[in-house]
Amino acid sequence: MPALLPPTDTSRADHHKVVIVGAGAAGIATASSLIARDPSLDIALIDPAEVHYYQPGWTMVGAGVFKAPSTAHTMAATLPRGVRWIKARVEGFDPQGQLVILDDGRAVSYEQLVVCPGLKLDWQAIEGLGETLGRNGVTSNYRYDLAPYTWQLVQNLKQGRALFTQPPMPIKCAGAPQKALYLSCDHWLRHGHLGNVRASFFNAGAVLFGVPDYVPALMSYIDKYGVDLNYQHRLTAVDGPNKRATFTRTLPDGSSETRVETFDMLHVVPPQVAPDFIRHSPLADAAGWVDVDPHTLRHRQFGNVHALGDVANTSNAKTAAAARKQAPVVANNVLVALGRLSTLAQYDGYGSCPLTVERGKIVLAEFTYGGKVAPSFPRWLLDGRKPTRLAWLLKAQILPPLYWQAMLKGREWLAKPQPLLVEASQ
């Protein structure tokens, strides 16, 4: 049941034509795409953060390719001009009254609401993890402050056991747990340490990657690096001082058993859930994610609410590339709802995961709903099913400026929204 909100003085509600909750990649891109279509639009963006991060760069920080500060810009400098920034936390929603309730009791009213606060990294779901993160060889590229520690550990490890984990889906950037594994192993191989460093990958799922076309290339690197590959193993506890990790393994009959492994380095990817204020709101589905139509990204119950990015319950990969394609669709459809455009746009489920299999080469996975391969480039130029240097150059040199100067500025390169097809809306 949705949580009951404290009484709110709606007479003091701050009103805006469009209210966007969340100033991550999805929120800022949507605001910029709206302004690009209608510069006169009254938009407010709610987010308490002082800093905006380019999170796809953290894998590269953990491999010594990028420096952490290059992935961080101030929020004030990143927000588009003409958008009002409400620097506050959201407590809940009243979709019947068209209100967003802030944690200080204030209300913000809207005609159209866009919900994209990202997801919650549930570090506390793993016993003992919170107390040892950033110490005792325990790290994660999923945090800005820990990615440099990953690189420090990789450089210093000359022998011993390195464990890499992946939690149950859904998670943001499902390839990121593997990226940390491959780039670390590549470093140890290049420096002659891989024989003495034994790498293991513990995946809570049953497959290496959800789109089969890319698995052969990835398996070739698992073999190249001699990785001990374990499926259906979920990290449940960490004893940092004694360097012991406990995994729960799902058995074929549905029962489970625990397994304890020692480590010298442990790269953890935590379980991930929708933010509390989303999970306990009228906007959520039974699993806690915002319940939207997968093509229009409009809420199934409230017609003036849209959602995109990691918080939506769509089946696409939760990546910045997905948000890049979703933002113009939501911008278009919000303007249709306001009567300023006439044709709905559709999102096809596009997601992309540049799998950094070694320093200088990437398997560029691109796919839409249902795991259908959807390359952006002709295969003679870039075959994403194979590791290529061109894909590495795309990831290392082209995508960061594309993110900051195109996606977040409303320049929709390779992201123009397509009209909604009749069959897609049914």
Side-chain angles (χ1 to χ4, degrees):
M1 291 289 294
L4 294 176
L5 296 172
T8 303
D9 182 3
T10 57
S11 65
R12 298 189 300 113
D14 187 2
H15 179 77
H16 294 277
K17 183 76 74 175
V18 179
V19 171
I20 301 174
V21 174
I28 293 180
T30 301
S32 293
S33 286
L34 281 166
I35 290 172
R37 287 166 172 79
D38 187 344
S40 69
L41 200 59
D42 170 29
I43 304 172
L45 208 161
I46 305 174
D47 197 298
E50 290 277 2
V51 180
H52 180 96
Y53 295 103
Y54 177 57
Q55 295 182 31
W58 292 349
T59 293
M60 303 289 261
V61 174
V65 181
F66 292 172
K67 297 295 185 184
S70 72
T71 68
H73 289 191
T74 65
M75 187 67 77
T78 308
L79 292 175
R81 291 180 182 175
V83 171
R84 184 188 169 203
W85 178 22
I86 300 175
K87 191 174 178 293
R89 296 185 184 277
V90 172
E91 181 74 16
F93 302 91
D94 175 5
Q96 301 291 350
Q98 298 185 187
L99 297 170
V100 177
I101 312 303
L102 306 183
D103 62 354
D104 61 3
R106 286 182 296 157
V108 181
S109 67
Y110 59 83
E111 290 185 33
Q112 295 289 318
L113 174 66
V114 178
V115 184
C116 45
L119 50 68
K120 173 183 174 182
L121 301 176
D122 198 2
W123 303 102
Q124 300 307 315
I126 299 172
E127 182 184 347
L129 178 59
E131 303 91 285
T132 196
L133 270 172
R135 297 179 294 161
N136 303 312
V138 182
T139 189
S140 179
N141 287 344
Y142 274 67
R143 250 177 48 183
Y144 172 81
D145 60 320
L146 294 178
Y149 183 51
T150 301
W151 178 229
Q152 178 185 329
L153 291 173
V154 169
Q155 290 177 290
N156 291 340
L157 190 62
K158 306 295 191 298
Q159 61 180 8
R161 294 201 66 198
L163 311 184
F164 297 80
T165 75
Q166 178 168 320
M169 299 294 284
I171 63 171
K172 66 166 71 184
C173 192
Q178 289 180 59
K179 297 177 191 181
L181 166 73
Y182 299 137
L183 287 174
S184 299
C185 286
D186 178 65
H187 175 83
W188 295 322
L189 178 63
R190 290 171 185 263
H191 290 79
H193 303 312
L194 191 57
N196 296 320
V197 175
R198 293 170 294 131
S200 297
F201 187 54
F202 291 88
N203 187 346
V207 295
L208 186 60
F209 194 73
V211 183
D213 295 66
Y214 302 105
V215 172
L218 301 178
M219 281 303 303
S220 71
Y221 279 90
I222 293 290
D223 295 338
K224 176 181 178 179
Y225 298 136
V227 175
D228 168 39
L229 186 57
N230 303 272
Y231 293 119
Q232 296 183 318
H233 281 72
R234 178 170 52 91
L235 181 66
T236 50
V238 177
D239 179 350
N242 293 305
K243 299 200 170 180
R244 293 161 63 90
T246 301
F247 296 89
T248 298
R249 178 190 175 200
T250 303
L251 300 175
D253 64 1
S255 62
S256 62
E257 65 179 14
T258 58
R259 173 178 170 184
V260 178
E261 298 287 334
T262 60
F263 63 84
D264 296 280
M265 170 183 168
L266 174 63
H267 181 272
V268 178
V269 178
Q272 294 164 39
V273 296
D276 295 346
F277 71 90
I278 295 292
R279 286 187 292 124
H280 303 305
S281 80
L283 304 180
D285 67 5
W289 307 97
V290 180
D291 191 17
V292 297
D293 177 275
H295 300 287
T296 64
L297 304 177
R298 184 173 63 184
H299 197 276
R300 292 186 186 274
Q301 182 179 353
F302 305 107
N304 64 340
V305 177
H306 290 76
L308 70 156
D310 295 346
V311 81
N313 68 348
T314 49
S315 62
N316 59 277
K318 295 183 183 296
T319 65
R324 184 170 66 86
K325 289 292 188 90
Q326 292 171 338
V329 171
V330 169
N332 180 97
N333 292 350
V334 165
L335 290 171
V336 169
L338 288 171
R340 302 189 184 191
L341 289 177
S342 59
T343 304
L344 286 170
Q346 69 168 340
Y347 169 60
D348 63 3
Y350 176 86
S352 175
C353 187
L355 291 144
T356 47
V357 290
E358 63 176 278
R359 192 181 182 109
K361 286 189 178 180
I362 277 176
V363 172
L364 181 59
E366 296 180 279
F367 43 90
T368 56
Y369 284 135
K372 180 182 177 182
V373 175
S376 297
F377 307 96
R379 283 202 170 136
W380 62 263
L381 177 63
L382 197 164
D383 187 345
R385 300 167 302 174
K386 301 175 181 178
T388 65
R389 186 165 297 278
L390 182 56
W392 175 271
L393 294 174
L394 184 70
K395 166 76 172 176
Q397 298 183 18
I398 297 175
L399 289 183
L402 178 68
Y403 179 84
W404 295 110
Q405 302 304 325
M407 176 179 171
L408 299 190
K409 302 293 186 183
R411 301 183 180 103
E412 297 161 9
W413 182 65
L414 293 180
K416 295 292 184 184
Q418 299 301 311
L420 178 68
L421 301 176
V422 174
E423 57 266 30
S425 65
Q426 296 180 355

